[in-house]
Amino acid sequence: RISHRLKSFAKSPANVRQWWHRHKCNTNPPPILKRPAENDHGGGEGGIADRSKVCYIVPTRLGDGRKEVLERTWAKDVLKDVYFVVSTEKDERSYVDWKKNTIHLAWRNFTDSSGKTVPEYEPDGLHGWQAPLVAKIMKLWEFISMQYESEWSKRCAWFVKSDDDTWINARLIQQRLQCMDPDVEVNFGYSCGFGVGIYTGYSRAVVRNFKFFIQELRKETEAQWFVGDIEDRRIGQVLMRFDINIVRAVRRNGTTKPDMAIWEPDTSVERKIEWIHTIPSKHIGCMSIAHHSRPAVMEVLAKRMTEHLEENNGVACPNNWQRQGMDAALVEAISRGCDA
């Protein structure tokens, strides 16, 4: 079965606050509003990245072929800005191989910005198939945040994280993000009960403070909830604790169908490809993601996207196609003169 889902995957700030008070994301304390004092968004010696610069973060396993598929499909044109994330027993420390654009996360003895080992991340204490992945993603954002001033501030204004079996429309993402301010706390990812974890993203204003957010929650006696369940929902819970809610301008593309393809894992490759060939070119350009995409599906999507961009002078999804149904934040950005 193929599900052509068109949803907001977000709520207005007022609705988010109402939802928070009803559900509280499985936590009891109220949102935390404090931030580090040195929150000027400045960069290190290398300066600071252009406000529209996007980096793509993709957790993967080396050797299974998925990395190579991405490199020749959606990531081909943005490859220098794609960073693959791995963590194996051989990784005794966390570091970035800048020549290979690969982030290595310590398998054991992960240390935070204060130099302390984080016991919650130790593999021996992680139970269930999701727990190791949650720990990996928590370590990822904490580590990037620890290196933000020295390394990432000059490279990225926006950080987009995606699964390695997901095709994403990088051109559309770039078009939407150029309308937004990376120095405002923006989360277009997953917040507890709504959102799509296979494709999340944050402004640099969020990422530079991830170490603060996560470490603050570790101080709480009942903070063990942050290493379990679905990884991106847990990240959403962390951000909601700090009153950072979802902005939907990036993901939602008006009323253009399909907004995204979220296939059941057992849907055949043949059925997916058959469906892709039925999508009008305009809809391909406005589709954010396609999840559970095998190599053959990625190849077909990439070919159709290339054809679409050639037909439309490199523009993925012109705003005037479906402006009426767009998110208010995006319409406001467009009214300030940002064309996509």
Side-chain angles (χ1 to χ4, degrees), residues 114-131:
S114 67
K116 296 180 180 178
T117 299
V118 182
E120 291 90 349
Y121 293 154
E122 291 302 296
D124 296 340
L126 299 173
H127 305 292
W129 71 276
Q130 279 281 1

Side-chain angles (χ1 to χ4, degrees), residues 112-178:
D112 64 18
S113 58
S114 67
K116 296 180 180 178
T117 299
V118 182
E120 291 90 349
Y121 293 154
E122 291 302 296
D124 296 340
L126 299 173
H127 305 292
W129 71 276
Q130 279 281 1
L133 182 56
V134 175
K136 180 179 179 180
I137 302 305
M138 284 285 183
K139 286 190 287 188
L140 165 67
W141 291 121
E142 189 167 358
F143 176 62
I144 289 180
S145 181
M146 288 159 54
Q147 284 198 324
Y148 174 80
E149 303 293 347
S150 61
E151 299 291 351
W152 295 98
S153 63
K154 60 189 175 186
R155 291 180 166 88
C156 320
W158 298 95
F159 297 75
V160 174
K161 178 258 175 187
S162 178
D163 289 357
D164 62 1
D165 66 344
T166 298
W167 175 87
I168 66 174
N169 189 342
R171 185 65 62 91
L172 175 64
I173 291 170
Q174 290 170 331
Q175 286 177 197
R176 292 295 184 253
L177 290 179
Q178 71 180 2

Side-chain angles (χ1 to χ4, degrees), residues 97-334:
D97 184 335
W98 296 107
K99 291 183 178 179
K100 296 183 179 180
N101 276 31
T102 303
I103 302 170
H104 292 260
L105 299 172
W107 180 260
R108 296 180 185 278
N109 301 318
F110 178 89
T111 55
D112 64 18
S113 58
S114 67
K116 296 180 180 178
T117 299
V118 182
E120 291 90 349
Y121 293 154
E122 291 302 296
D124 296 340
L126 299 173
H127 305 292
W129 71 276
Q130 279 281 1
L133 182 56
V134 175
K136 180 179 179 180
I137 302 305
M138 284 285 183
K139 286 190 287 188
L140 165 67
W141 291 121
E142 189 167 358
F143 176 62
I144 289 180
S145 181
M146 288 159 54
Q147 284 198 324
Y148 174 80
E149 303 293 347
S150 61
E151 299 291 351
W152 295 98
S153 63
K154 60 189 175 186
R155 291 180 166 88
C156 320
W158 298 95
F159 297 75
V160 174
K161 178 258 175 187
S162 178
D163 289 357
D164 62 1
D165 66 344
T166 298
W167 175 87
I168 66 174
N169 189 342
R171 185 65 62 91
L172 175 64
I173 291 170
Q174 290 170 331
Q175 286 177 197
R176 292 295 184 253
L177 290 179
Q178 71 180 2
C179 300
M180 303 179 71
D181 186 353
D183 295 324
V184 173
E185 292 179 336
V186 175
N187 165 22
F188 55 94
Y190 199 121
S191 283
C192 305
F194 39 86
V196 178
I198 52 183
Y199 158 46
T200 61
Y202 315 101
S203 64
R204 63 187 173 205
V206 171
V207 171
R208 74 189 306 273
N209 282 331
F210 254 127
K211 64 180 184 294
F212 169 76
F213 298 148
I214 296 173
Q215 290 171 21
E216 279 294 297
L217 294 189
R218 279 206 291 266
K219 296 176 183 178
E220 299 182 358
T221 57
E222 298 179 0
Q224 301 308 309
W225 52 263
F226 80 87
V227 283
D229 197 57
I230 302 172
E231 75 277 15
D232 293 305
R233 189 165 79 177
R234 290 307 185 194
I235 293 292
Q237 289 179 328
V238 169
L239 296 182
M240 285 195 76
R241 282 296 313 282
F242 288 86
D243 205 32
I244 300 174
N245 301 308
I246 278 185
V247 173
R248 65 182 181 175
V250 180
R251 170 168 287 127
R252 184 165 171 78
N253 306 313
T255 55
T256 302
K257 295 183 180 181
D259 174 78
M260 56 185 66
I262 305 177
W263 288 306
E264 298 297 331
D266 58 352
T267 302
S268 71
V269 170
E270 293 76 14
R271 181 72 183 93
K272 294 176 184 178
I273 292 176
E274 176 187 354
W275 175 74
I276 291 169
H277 283 301
T278 69
I279 304 175
S281 175
K282 177 187 291 190
H283 294 173
I284 284 284
C286 295
M287 192 167 75
S288 302
I289 61 169
H291 189 35
H292 290 307
S293 295
R294 299 295 183 185
V297 176
M298 291 268 197
E299 301 282 3
V300 173
L301 281 167
K303 183 175 184 297
R304 290 222 53 201
M305 188 64 188
T306 298
E307 294 170 349
H308 167 80
L309 292 173
E310 290 174 352
E311 294 171 2
N312 293 276
N313 299 317
V315 178
C317 184
N319 290 331
N320 59 9
W321 279 356
Q322 294 290 345
R323 179 165 175 164
Q324 183 177 1
M326 285 184 179
D327 177 78
L330 182 56
V331 172
E332 181 183 353
I334 295 168

Side-chain angles (χ1 to χ4, degrees), residues 46-60:
I48 192 163
D50 181 84
R51 59 179 288 129
S52 61
K53 186 61 180 293
V54 183
C55 290
Y56 302 87
I57 312 296
V58 184
T60 191

